[in-house]
């Protein structure tokens, strides 16, 4: 399916305002079923591809836009708003709006390939809120092609298709089939895709809307968002396993590139005395703060700081101290943080790991343990070469093609 995508009538700016104000109303449902969600394209997904289109009459000239409800600029764009009542068919035909909680009609129409463009334009002027035309290249040896359209639930599809065919100058009545689709809340759909993650026996990462499978385990509750660290990625698991191995009780831990804060939270739950997370991404810092609260962490034991993205590695400590917005009321740990941490974990990316090797290792005290991850197994030699200058007893653990390198800081 694809290259031609059109969308029905009314101002585009209203759709934009809706999407910005209420992104949770986007649907990910398949139009092929009245209940489940699948791989189909919802009306709103199609609406994101809106572009100008003219409404054509039966003689091939533009139809009167006042009659068809098209805008004077030639846009056939239908807006939707969650604040409006579900319209009747007549309201929809007049360029009305849709209630996103209502079902919709998905109509698949067969027509001659040479008629597809005109018919698709005409359908938009007779009730369709979107059209998608099969890729003509995929139908090179066929005489017919399919157009998939979306109509408001309750629309008189037969009348609309007939009127559109007549307006497009077709000398035949296209065959079509109709199915009912049901809107879904994409937030709920995404939440359902997150499962509780078992790292090892007794250690789980739990999305906040899930019930822990093992209440006696060490359960790290997170709200997965834009930050990295949901517990599903092998590098996160490798770092958690590293912490499980090295934390004996009372350690000071630095989570370098904290993301969701999962490593900082895990460190405290495993017995560390203090965990400090730093990140250059404000969204990550906000996520880590939120997850700290979800897990009931003591704010004096779990510190989270926003590091200026442009700061030089050697100035990280002083730069963090100046960040009044993110720092807690007391931050003595970072004023002389270099060389004070028992454990440093950096789960970031290859290039930052190589560029910041001295800074990362520099946070660990002599004899302290440093682990770096976020690297593929084939990248290990390059990372090992860089870190072996500063670390003794270097070892590597691997999982599903990803690796974690660890060692102790040299004197």
């Amino acid at each position: 399916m694809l290259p031609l995508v059109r969308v029905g009538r009314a101002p585009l700016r209203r759709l934009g305002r809706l999407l910005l104000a209420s992104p949770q109303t986007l649907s990910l449902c398949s139009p092929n079923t009245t209940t489940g969600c699948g791989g189909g394209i919802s009306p709103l997904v199609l609406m994101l591809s809106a572009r100008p289109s003219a409404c054509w009459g039966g003689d091939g000239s533009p139809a009167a836009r006042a009659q068809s409800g098209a805008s004077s600029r030639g846009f056939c764009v239908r807006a939707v708003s969650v604040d409006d009542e579900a319209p009747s068919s007549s309201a929809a035909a007049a360029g009305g709006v849709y209630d996103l909680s209502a079902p919709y009609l998905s109509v698949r129409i067969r027509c001659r390939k040479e008629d597809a463009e005109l018919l698709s334009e005409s359908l938009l002027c007779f009730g369709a809120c979107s059209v998608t035309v099969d890729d003509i290249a995929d139908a090179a040896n066929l005489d017919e092609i399919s157009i998939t359209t979306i109509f408001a639930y309750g629309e008189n599809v037969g009348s609309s298709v007939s009127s559109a065919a007549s307006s497009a100058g077709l000398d035949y009545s296209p065959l079509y089939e109709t199915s009912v689709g049901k809107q879904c809340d994409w937030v709920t759909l995404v939440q359902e895709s997150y499962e509780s993650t078992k790292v090892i026996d007794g250690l789980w990462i739990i999305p906040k809307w899930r019930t822990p499978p093992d209440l006696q385990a060490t359960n790290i509750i997170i709200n997965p968002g834009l930050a990295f660290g949901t517990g599903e990625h092998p590098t996160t698991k490798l770092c958690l396993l590293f912490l499980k191995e090295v934390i004996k009780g009372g350690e000071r831990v630095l989570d370098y590139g904290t993301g969701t804060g999962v490593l900082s939270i895990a460190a405290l739950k495993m017995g560390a005395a203090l965990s400090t997370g730093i990140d250059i991404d404000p969204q990550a810092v906000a996520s880590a703060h939120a997850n700290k609260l979800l897990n009931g962490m003591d704010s004096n034991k779990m510190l989270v700081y926003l590091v200026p993205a442009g700061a030089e590695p050697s100035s990280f400590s002083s730069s963090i101290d100046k960040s009044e917005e993110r720092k807690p009321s007391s931050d003595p740990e970072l004023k002389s943080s270099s060389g004070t941490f028992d454990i440093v974990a950096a789960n970031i990316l290859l290039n930052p790991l190589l560029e910041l090797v001295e800074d990362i290792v520099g946070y660990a005290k002599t004899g302290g343990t440093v682990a770096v991850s976020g690297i593929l197994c084939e990248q290990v030699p390059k990372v090992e070469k860089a870190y072996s200058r500063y670390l003794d007893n270097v070892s590597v653990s691997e999982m599903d093609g990803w690796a974690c390198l660890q060692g102790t800081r040299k004197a």
Side-chain angles (χ1 to χ4, degrees):
M1 298 286 290
L2 201 79
L4 175 62
V5 179
R6 296 280 197 272
V7 183
R9 304 182 277 275
L12 250 183
R13 61 181 177 273
R14 190 166 185 199
L15 174 60
R17 185 169 66 247
L18 165 68
L19 296 178
L20 289 173
S22 304
Q24 72 273 15
T25 60
L26 286 177
S27 169
L28 298 179
C29 275
S30 167
N32 301 320
T33 175
T34 59
T35 54
C37 291
I41 304 175
S42 78
L44 284 181
V45 173
L46 292 173
M47 285 181 181
L48 296 179
S49 300
R51 71 178 190 182
S53 68
C55 297
W56 296 86
D59 58 356
S61 62
R65 292 188 177 89
Q67 180 178 354
S68 67
S71 81
S72 59
R73 294 184 180 182
F75 280 89
C76 288
V77 180
R78 175 170 294 159
V80 292
S81 172
V82 292
D83 298 323
D84 293 297
E85 296 288 335
S88 62
S89 298
S90 58
V97 294
Y98 294 123
D99 178 358
L100 294 182
S101 64
Y104 59 90
L105 299 177
S106 176
V107 183
R108 191 167 178 82
I109 304 166
R110 298 291 297 178
C111 69
R112 296 170 188 157
K113 282 195 295 185
E114 61 268 25
D115 297 330
E117 178 77 13
L118 277 179
L119 180 58
S120 66
E121 299 282 3
S122 187
L123 284 164
L124 292 172
C125 297
F126 288 94
C129 61
S130 71
V131 297
T132 306
V133 180
D134 282 354
D135 192 337
I136 293 178
D138 292 340
N141 299 321
L142 302 176
D143 294 328
E144 291 188 334
I145 199 169
S146 291
I147 302 173
T148 301
T149 66
I150 300 296
F151 286 87
Y153 189 75
E155 187 84 44
N156 188 333
V157 173
S159 175
S160 296
V161 172
S162 176
S163 297
S166 176
S167 179
L170 275 59
D171 58 1
Y172 61 94
S173 296
L175 298 177
Y176 65 90
E177 57 184 19
T178 302
S179 59
V180 178
K182 185 177 180 181
Q183 302 286 357
C184 284
D185 180 353
W186 76 269
V187 172
T188 300
L189 190 64
V190 170
Q191 286 184 348
E192 289 175 351
S193 71
Y194 281 100
E195 297 289 344
S196 298
T197 300
K198 181 180 180 180
V199 181
I200 55 173
D201 288 338
L203 178 59
W204 288 79
I205 309 296
I206 314 291
K208 72 173 188 176
W209 51 83
R210 297 286 188 187
T211 301
D214 182 0
L215 295 177
Q216 304 306 314
T218 298
N219 292 310
I220 303 167
I221 313 300
I222 64 167
N223 183 14
L226 297 179
F228 181 79
T230 64
E232 296 178 330
H233 197 272
T235 59
T236 307
K237 292 181 179 178
L238 286 168
C239 287
L240 288 168
L241 292 172
F242 158 74
L243 292 176
K244 186 74 172 176
E245 174 189 345
V246 299
I247 292 177
K248 307 302 179 184
E251 292 87 354
R252 293 163 51 86
V253 179
L254 177 69
D255 181 6
Y256 196 104
T258 190
T260 58
V262 64
L263 298 183
S264 290
I265 295 167
L268 289 177
K269 292 196 172 189
M270 291 175 185
L274 173 77
S275 69
T276 301
I278 60 175
D279 209 295
I280 63 172
D281 183 1
Q283 289 178 325
V285 171
S287 177
H289 273 295
N291 290 326
K292 173 175 68 175
L293 297 176
L294 278 177
N295 288 270
M297 296 289 98
D298 187 335
S299 293
N300 293 319
K301 293 184 177 181
M302 180 175 169
L303 310 177
V304 185
Y305 296 94
L306 177 66
V307 175
E312 293 295 326
S314 60
S315 69
F316 273 5
S317 298
S318 59
S319 297
I320 295 172
D321 291 342
K322 296 175 184 177
S323 180
E324 297 292 339
E325 179 181 358
R326 295 295 182 186
K327 74 177 184 179
S329 57
S330 174
D331 58 356
E333 293 77 16
L334 283 175
K335 292 191 176 184
S336 57
S337 58
S338 181
T340 64
F341 289 95
D342 302 290
I343 299 168
V344 175
N347 185 19
I348 46 179
L349 297 172
L350 175 64
N351 287 339
L353 285 176
L354 296 177
E355 294 169 4
L356 301 171
V357 54
E358 293 184 2
D359 193 61
I360 293 170
V361 174
Y363 276 107
K365 67 182 184 182
T366 300
T369 307
V370 177
V372 294
S373 192
I375 54 177
L376 296 167
C377 292
E378 57 262 34
Q379 297 169 337
V380 168
K382 186 181 293 187
V383 176
E384 187 170 5
K385 180 179 178 180
Y387 279 81
S388 292
R389 297 171 54 196
Y390 306 96
L391 301 178
D392 284 324
N393 307 315
V394 173
S395 62
V396 177
S397 54
E398 299 180 356
M399 182 184 295
D400 297 336
W402 295 87
C404 177
L405 179 147
Q406 70 179 79
T408 54
R409 183 180 176 180
K410 294 179 180 180

